[in-house]
Amino acid sequence: MTTALHTTTANPPVAQIDVVVPVLNELDMLPRFLERVRALPLPLHLIFVDNGSTDGTLPFLREQTDVQLIEHGQNLGYGRSLADGLLASTAPRVIILDADCEYPPEAIPALLTALEQTAMVYASRFLNARQVAMAPLRRWGNRGLTALFNLLYGQQLTDLYTGMKALRRSAFTGLTFTRGGFEHVMELSAKVARRGVHIGEVPVAYTPRQTGRSKMQHVPEFLKAVGCLLYYRGGCHD
Ligand SMILES: Nc1nc2c(ncn2[C@@H]2O[C@H](COP(=O)(O)OP(=O)(O)OP(=O)(O)O)[C@@H](O)[C@H]2O)c(=O)[nH]1
Ligand SMILES: [Mg+2]
């Protein structure tokens, strides 16, 4: 197992905002993703966590001089990518954003504005949305997990499984993340909620993947997610 963590300075400029991007075989989407993120008038620092891509993503990212790159060298799971990205981040505010352009980078300013009110904010595909292009199995799976999460953790979320979030550093400082797979979503949400943080939401326009293949196994992930939500509700698991 190889995990190369290239950390930046421990004291970033106060205004810097770190953007943690988990990536696995997204070469088709990355040029557009970078173009859109770079066009934003914000001091964003990109931290890509490559999770063993084999499609040319890695050489492409190595050529980008303005990004930080963590190389797993093999697939260690989506959750491990986020955990390593958060660990490498140093800025007071951190964005988590999928690399496949399903979530618009242009929504980052709205997330940051909402972050002034609370320590963690999710970009919701369902808040104020009339229609969302999503397969029924996924939609209902997400809805069920979101409802269970709200019930167990006293929140009012509409989209637990979003791939776009904003966090104040204080929301996750001192927490450890051990879940390697997509259950990381549950672990992060549960641990931050147990600290008493009210998780905010902003609406986001969602564009289902245009190219490439979804790599998620939805039914097994759903079952693991339910187990996680119950487990973290049960006791102290920082
Ligand atoms: N599935 C998966 N994605 C990973 C992994 N490591 C990093 N990623 C990245 O994590 C993000 C989310 O993964 P997706 O496969 O898009 O998951 P999803 O958005 O639920 O599925 P789609 O809607 O089909 O795109 C993407 O940027 C992936 O490139 C991994 O091990 N598995
Ligand atoms: Mg996706």
Side-chain angles (χ1 to χ4, degrees), residues 21-26 30 33 49-53 72 75-82 97-103 125 134 138 161-163 180-182 206-218 221:
V21 189
V23 59
L24 174 64
N25 295 335
E26 300 287 4
L30 279 175
F33 176 87
V49 188
D50 183 81
N51 205 12
S53 294
H72 278 171
N75 192 293
L76 300 182
Y78 169 82
R80 180 68 187 276
S81 300
L82 291 183
L97 181 57
D98 285 356
D100 55 8
C101 288
E102 291 188 318
Y103 302 86
R125 295 164 286 185
M134 189 181 287
R138 240 177 138 162
Y161 246 109
T162 177
F182 274 93
Y206 170 67
T207 312
R209 179 182 281 282
Q210 304 293 296
T211 177
R213 191 174 57 83
S214 174
K215 298 152 212 104
M216 195 178 185
Q217 305 282 315
H218 294 286
E221 291 301 341

Side-chain angles (χ1 to χ4, degrees), residues 57-77:
T57 287
L58 198 51
F60 175 82
L61 286 175
R62 283 179 182 148
E63 278 169 16
Q64 312 304 314
T65 52
D66 60 343
V67 312
Q68 185 178 351
L69 178 59
I70 297 169
E71 302 182 17
H72 278 171
Q74 67 185 73
N75 192 293
L76 300 182

Side-chain angles (χ1 to χ4, degrees), residues 121-134:
V121 179
Y122 287 6
S124 169
R125 295 164 286 185
F126 304 107
L127 191 66
N128 305 337
R130 285 225 185 118
Q131 262 193 326
V132 180
M134 189 181 287

